[in-house]
Amino acid sequence: MTTPSRPADDSAELLPVATPARTRAALRALVRPDRGLALTGIGVLVAATAVGLLVQPLLGRIVDIVADGRPAGDLTLPVVLLVAVAAVQGVTTTIGLTRIARLGETVLARLRERFVERALDLPADRLERAGAGDLTARVTGDVARVAEAVRSALPEMARSVLAIVLTLGALALLDVRFLLAALLAVPVQLLTARWYVNRALTLYADQRVANGAQQQQLLETIGGAVTVRGHRLEEQHTERAAGRSRKAVELTMRSVNLVLGFYGRLHIAEYIGLAAVLIAGFWLVRDGAVSIGTATAAALYFHSLFGPVNAALVLLDDAQSAAAGLARLVGVTDLARPTEPVAGKAGPAGGAEPTPVPQQTVPQQTGPRRRAATGAAVAADAVSHAYGPGRPVLHDVSLTLRPGEHVALVGTSGAGKSTLARIVAGVQQPTAGTVTAPAGAGEPSVVLVTQEVHVFTGSLAEDLRLARPDATDADLRGALATVHALDWAEALPDGLDTVVGEGGHRLDPARAQQLALARLVLAGPALAVLDEATAEAGSAGARALERSAEAALAGRTALIVAHRLTQAVAADRVVVLEAGRVVESGPHDELRDADGPYAALWRAWSGSRTAPHP
């Protein structure tokens, strides 16, 4: 179960945060595959801690030998035993902490993999509503907090808890009155922990949200710097960034004050407990109930609790921060899980059952939305979609693509073309209606290419092999040749081994789009969906890029959101969307001569242009 994050402003609907119960359940599921490693690590740490508890009685024995005036030779055995205890404890502690650390790293890796898998499946409209800053903050800050807790807090917490439990047991073995005296510190420590936890969880969650809002504002301001300067909005954007930064700083200072108050209360508990143990030792020694060495061992036992008790309570700081981060990560994994299996797409890792998406985070969806095709290549039946209450985009759209058919979607901006394309591609789920798509057999059934193409960092060959890892160099060259990109690819400084992407050789928008089309050719899907895939090229390279797209689509079913109507001319059929409804459908020539909505679009777009023949 998840709850929606509180947005930093009215325009953002942040990704949800999992409830504490759901977070604990997710953590148990992550640890379950490595139960054996967890039990072994804890068992070895128990042995190491138990051996370490022999130090205080041995020191007490030395005190008794000295107090009784015995020969110096009597000190030999306790000293040798102290050395042996130190050696054994060192070895067993190392083994136990190593196993706990391995468990933590394994769980952390599993969490990262599942988070990335779910994040990649996020519906596009949901991510747009949340903003990139919220997801970025979770990918960076929250993952880092959880990783830090796993690497440092988890092993130390395990050792501290074991040391506390076994040391209290050892105090009881010396004399139960020592244990009762030591327990006087517990109420203060429990009240301190409760005081801290009640404030920390909400505070750290708010801090994570504020950091996400701050990153979102910085991304918007820096990413749109040209527009901001062009409209003289520097002052407004600076004030927004400063306001969100002030909010983040304010929450950080509140967390600092909270930690300072936490430490102060712990020191009071230490004073109460140690004073009580020393007073109890004084009375017990005076009455002859225990020896000076035993009282010394009791005092040393309680003093040795300072470290693990304070560590355990102080680690609540890391634990609460990590718990807040983990809840935000689990919130994303639950949100991204589809409510129904999607044809041609893998299910959750490890075969886990899908978790229903909370109703408050996505529009209500009814009925099966995607199933394998039986006849047509793809068919959308009565598909509707809304990005929120009162924001419908598509209304009962029905569309069938026959095998091998190329269909162009045209319409004015906001008509719903991209939304319908993403729904057909399976990237987005419709609010209502069904989509029948081709089932993949060893290869992707649908590939979506948009105008926003990402060039991944690495060699050009590695970038291409993202679509088909087993592709040979000949396959790569063949795909590049198909989209008319082989000449410039081989002309790069190192040919296909040239590093592209961030920090590498820069590809202009047209070449980056050809790279995406070459990946499409390598993937070999039954259905290709192009969402204004030629829009990023300038007018000079538009026609060349359109030829690349036509070559990539040859022999496969295609749905094309047409940025230029020359793509509609070349299509087998043109479908016109208007205000989220299909208003016309047919070949280009027929619709152009019908004097309807498409004819008006054609006249407005073509002007003095001469339409190319299909």
Side-chain angles (χ1 to χ4, degrees):
M1 181 178 180
T2 56
T3 56
S5 299
R6 285 173 290 180
D9 54 46
D10 294 336
S11 63
E13 181 187 333
L14 298 184
L15 297 168
V17 176
T19 62
R22 175 69 192 111
T23 303
R24 289 191 295 270
L27 185 58
R28 287 194 296 270
L30 288 169
V31 175
R32 191 173 296 119
D34 297 290
R35 290 190 300 267
L37 184 60
L39 293 175
T40 303
I42 293 174
V44 174
L45 280 182
V46 168
T49 305
V51 170
L53 292 177
L54 297 175
V55 171
Q56 289 83 356
L58 289 172
L59 291 175
R61 178 64 176 166
I62 291 174
V63 169
D64 283 337
I65 290 173
V66 174
D68 294 343
R70 298 179 189 176
D74 290 352
L75 295 173
T76 303
L77 180 59
V79 171
V80 170
L81 290 175
L82 281 174
V83 174
V85 165
V88 173
Q89 186 183 26
V91 172
T92 52
T93 299
T94 299
I95 295 174
L97 290 179
T98 299
R99 289 185 171 275
I100 294 295
R102 184 180 301 168
L103 170 68
E105 290 296 335
T106 303
V107 171
L108 177 61
R110 190 176 293 124
L111 172 64
R112 281 173 167 163
E113 291 169 0
R114 293 188 180 183
F115 177 80
V116 171
E117 177 189 350
R118 304 295 188 250
L120 291 174
D121 282 339
L122 275 174
D125 58 315
R126 187 65 186 86
L127 185 56
E128 289 168 2
R129 293 200 305 273
D134 187 29
L135 185 61
T136 301
R138 299 185 192 220
V139 171
T140 55
D142 292 324
V143 170
R145 287 299 179 100
V146 175
E148 181 181 355
V150 165
R151 288 169 182 154
S152 58
L154 177 63
E156 186 62 31
M157 177 67 85
R159 185 168 63 170
S160 297
V161 170
L162 289 173
I164 293 168
V165 172
L166 295 179
T167 301
L168 291 177
L171 275 173
L173 289 176
L174 291 179
D175 192 295
V176 72
R177 285 167 287 190
F178 285 126
L179 175 61
L180 294 176
L183 292 179
L184 290 177
V186 173
V188 179
Q189 292 167 335
L190 291 179
L191 289 173
T192 299
R194 182 179 178 183
W195 173 84
Y196 176 77
V197 169
N198 287 341
R199 289 161 176 78
L201 189 58
T202 301
L203 179 58
Y204 284 125
D206 290 344
Q207 194 174 358
R208 300 269 71 77
V209 171
N211 289 339
Q214 181 188 32
Q215 289 193 35
Q216 175 66 27
Q217 184 60 51
L218 292 174
L219 286 172
E220 291 177 353
T221 301
I222 295 172
V226 175
T227 303
V228 170
R229 287 195 296 267
H231 290 275
R232 308 292 186 192
L233 298 175
E234 295 96 329
E235 185 176 346
Q236 293 94 317
H237 275 257
T238 300
E239 180 55 35
R240 288 179 190 172
R244 295 188 177 184
S245 296
R246 284 194 296 269
K247 180 66 173 178
V249 170
E250 175 191 344
L251 290 170
T252 299
M253 293 308 301
R254 283 175 55 190
S255 68
V256 169
N257 291 330
L258 182 66
V259 170
L260 291 176
F262 180 64
Y263 282 129
R265 288 166 170 79
L266 289 184
H267 293 326
I268 294 174
E270 289 176 359
Y271 173 79
I272 292 173
L274 184 57
V277 170
L278 291 174
I279 292 172
F282 171 78
W283 288 104
L284 292 172
V285 170
R286 193 188 69 169
D287 294 341
V290 298
S291 68
I292 296 177
T294 301
T296 301
L300 290 174
Y301 268 138
F302 187 81
H303 190 272
S304 71
L305 283 175
F306 285 8
V309 168
N310 288 347
L313 293 177
V314 167
L315 285 174
L316 286 174
D317 181 63
D318 292 335
Q320 293 302 311
S321 181
L326 181 60
R328 284 161 54 83
L329 297 177
V330 173
V332 172
T333 65
D334 284 352
L335 174 65
R337 246 181 222 121
T339 56
E340 295 288 341
V342 177
K345 298 187 76 174
E353 289 295 325
T355 300
V357 179
Q359 185 172 344
Q360 68 267 24
T361 58
V362 284
Q364 181 64 37
Q365 298 170 347
T366 58
R369 289 163 298 285
R370 198 167 181 84
R371 53 177 181 259
T374 55
V378 63
D381 182 23
V383 166
S384 297
H385 190 72
Y387 287 112
R391 297 172 58 195
V393 178
L394 297 175
H395 306 271
D396 292 324
V397 174
S398 294
L399 174 66
T400 300
L401 281 72
R402 294 180 295 275
E405 184 182 26
H406 290 185
V407 174
L409 276 180
V410 301
T412 58
S413 179
K417 304 184 299 296
S418 292
T419 300
L420 180 58
R422 290 200 295 262
I423 289 173
V424 169
V427 173
Q428 193 162 300
Q429 296 289 342
T431 304
T434 60
V435 177
T436 302
E443 59 186 17
S445 59
V446 183
V447 167
L448 170 68
V449 180
T450 70
Q451 67 184 61
E452 298 174 354
V453 177
H454 182 73
V455 179
F456 295 88
T457 301
S459 70
L460 183 64
E462 291 171 340
D463 203 307
L464 288 167
R465 286 194 175 96
L466 290 171
R468 204 174 93 203
D470 61 346
T472 64
D473 287 348
D475 294 330
L476 303 184
R477 288 186 170 84
L480 290 169
T482 299
V483 298
H484 313 297
L486 183 59
D487 289 344
W488 65 256
E490 291 187 329
L492 293 174
D494 297 313
L496 297 185
D497 294 326
T498 302
V499 175
V500 295
E502 188 71 26
H505 186 88
R506 183 179 177 277
L507 299 181
D508 61 41
R511 289 183 173 182
Q513 195 63 263
Q514 284 182 314
L515 179 60
L517 292 171
R519 287 200 293 253
L520 184 151
V521 172
L522 286 168
L527 170 66
V529 179
L530 270 57
D531 184 5
E532 297 191 353
T534 63
E536 287 299 311
S539 57
R543 186 55 192 155
L545 196 52
E546 287 174 9
R547 286 196 298 270
S548 297
E550 291 170 7
L553 298 178
R556 70 183 90 252
T557 308
L559 180 65
I560 305 159
V561 177
H563 176 69
R564 293 175 174 83
L565 291 190
T566 50
Q567 295 172 292
V569 175
D572 300 313
R573 182 158 50 101
V574 179
V575 173
V576 184
L577 284 181
E578 196 172 276
R581 291 183 171 85
V582 175
V583 294
E584 276 189 311
S585 177
H588 161 76
D589 291 338
E590 178 182 312
L591 297 184
R592 183 194 57 192
D593 298 336
D595 200 24
Y598 180 76
L601 288 173
W602 178 259
R603 287 193 298 270
W605 179 84
S606 61
S608 61
R609 296 183 181 91
T610 300
H613 292 289

